[in-house]
């Protein structure tokens, strides 16, 4: 099952996404940048990935395993875009 390997990194990257949201607001660049909105969207997807992975582990559900994997991948892409838009 992939969910066992997704749960830990998804939770960690949730913290990174929230850190980016906080950093954008602390630096005062939230008006000029959309990186905080993108990072917040990624955080929501990481939460959904964590919930899907946890449920897939508990119920050994192959479908939820694939959902968690897909959500994790999309959230990673969004986090990359958020980080790049913050620094450029």
């Amino acid at each position: 099952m992939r969910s066992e390997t997704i749960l830990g990194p998804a939770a960690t990257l949730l913290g990174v996404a929230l850190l980016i949201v906080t950093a954008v607001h602390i630096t005062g660049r939230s008006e000029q940048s959309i990186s905080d909105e993108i990072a917040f969207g990624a955080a929501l997807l990481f939460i959904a990935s964590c919930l899907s992975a946890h449920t897939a582990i508990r119920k050994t559900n192959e479908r939820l395993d694939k959902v968690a994997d897909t959500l994790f991948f999309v959230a990673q892409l969004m986090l990359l875009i958020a980080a790049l838009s913050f620094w450029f």
Side-chain angles (χ1 to χ4, degrees):
M1 283 186 94
R2 288 178 283 212
S3 294
E4 295 171 357
T5 60
I6 290 174
L7 189 57
T12 303
L13 288 174
L14 169 62
V16 172
L18 294 176
L19 180 69
I20 290 174
V21 171
T22 304
V24 170
H25 284 275
I26 286 176
T27 59
R29 293 179 54 186
S30 62
E31 296 296 323
Q32 303 97 356
S33 175
I34 62 166
S35 59
D36 57 335
E37 286 91 358
I38 297 171
F40 187 72
L44 291 176
L45 288 177
F46 281 127
I47 290 171
S49 178
C50 287
L51 291 173
S52 297
H54 183 326
T55 307
I57 291 169
R58 289 194 62 201
K59 297 187 178 196
T60 57
N61 189 332
E62 193 71 27
R63 183 174 157 263
L64 281 174
D65 193 34
K66 291 178 183 177
V67 168
D69 188 39
T70 303
L71 287 171
F72 183 71
F73 178 71
V74 172
Q76 280 183 315
L77 289 177
M78 285 182 69
L79 191 62
L80 175 66
I81 292 168
L84 291 175
S85 68
F86 178 68
W87 282 289
F88 294 111

